[in-house]
Amino acid sequence: MIRRIPTAIGTQLGPSIQLAGAALLVAVVAATTLALLTARRKRWIRGLSSGLELIGVSIPTFWAAILLLTVFSFQLGWFPAVGDDSGSSLVLPVIAVAIPITTMLTQMTRESLELTLEEPFVLTARSRGMSDLGVRLRHALRHALVPAVTLLGWVIGLMVGSMVAVEQIFSRQGIGQLTLTAVTGKDLPVVMGVVLVTALLYVVVNILIDLLYLVIDPRLRSAA
């Protein structure tokens, strides 16, 4: 019985990593883009963005998944309702998982970017004739990303919980589905195995995040 646990977890780990990786990539790209577009803009633009972020972070992941499934699968028929046998079947689960992550990262990145845009080195870059977009991309964004990267460590833990509901709603294979089945069947060895694997992945991700600091902010290399 014990020997089947690594096989069971290994089989289900791939789909979960695929879902989590795609959702994280979508969230980071979307949050960075939205932060660049809304930081230090007109008040109504920032207000609209803040309102949407509040809605996005307040919506439970399972409710967002059911809403996406109802609209884009049952009503419009654009994406399959269940399964994980094609790329199109990954779209709705990725969006459901990415929504709360995107809203939190957008808020954090925008606030950090607005503070960075007031720094003296930004004013120096503007005085040299650099465009606003160039200043944001080449100078301000790198510094503004540090707090958002810090938030990613906590976000990974949030994703583990949300994937349980998403995998169940969309009938996808994965660690969340395996965990729910094991808990329902009172299969304690599998539950413990999933907890250990999840904890290991969490530690690895946070180590990678610490290394990412050195890439984003070169000043930390000399300090290290």
Side-chain angles (χ1 to χ4, degrees), residues 132-196:
D132 180 68
L133 181 60
V135 169
R136 290 170 182 258
L137 290 177
R138 295 184 58 184
H139 296 281
L141 182 60
R142 171 173 293 188
H143 296 272
L145 284 178
V146 174
V149 170
T150 303
L151 185 63
L152 282 179
W154 179 78
V155 163
I156 299 300
L158 176 66
M159 291 178 64
V160 174
S162 63
M163 284 194 300
V164 175
V166 170
E167 289 176 355
Q168 180 69 19
I169 291 172
F170 290 97
S171 297
R172 291 182 55 86
Q173 298 296 317
I175 290 294
Q177 188 78 273
L178 177 64
T179 304
L180 183 61
T181 303
V183 171
T184 304
K186 298 181 180 180
D187 193 342
L188 184 59
V190 174
V191 174
M192 293 179 62
V194 170
V195 170
L196 290 175

Side-chain angles (χ1 to χ4, degrees), residues 59-108:
I59 296 177
T61 304
F62 74 89
W63 192 87
I66 293 174
L67 181 62
L68 291 169
L69 189 65
T70 302
V71 174
F72 294 102
S73 183
F74 295 155
Q75 295 184 358
L76 298 178
W78 290 355
F79 302 99
V82 297
D84 53 2
D85 54 349
S86 64
S88 58
S89 64
L90 187 64
V91 174
L92 295 183
V94 165
I95 295 176
V97 176
I99 286 176
I101 302 173
T102 302
T103 54
M104 289 185 290
L105 289 179
T106 300
Q107 185 176 17
M108 176 68 72

Side-chain angles (χ1 to χ4, degrees), residues 34 38 45-59 99-100 102-104 106 110:
L34 291 172
T38 58
I45 295 178
R46 296 182 73 257
L48 178 62
S49 178
S50 298
L52 293 176
E53 291 160 13
L54 179 61
I55 294 174
V57 78
S58 302
I59 296 177
I99 286 176
T102 302
T103 54
M104 289 185 290
T106 300
R110 185 178 62 247

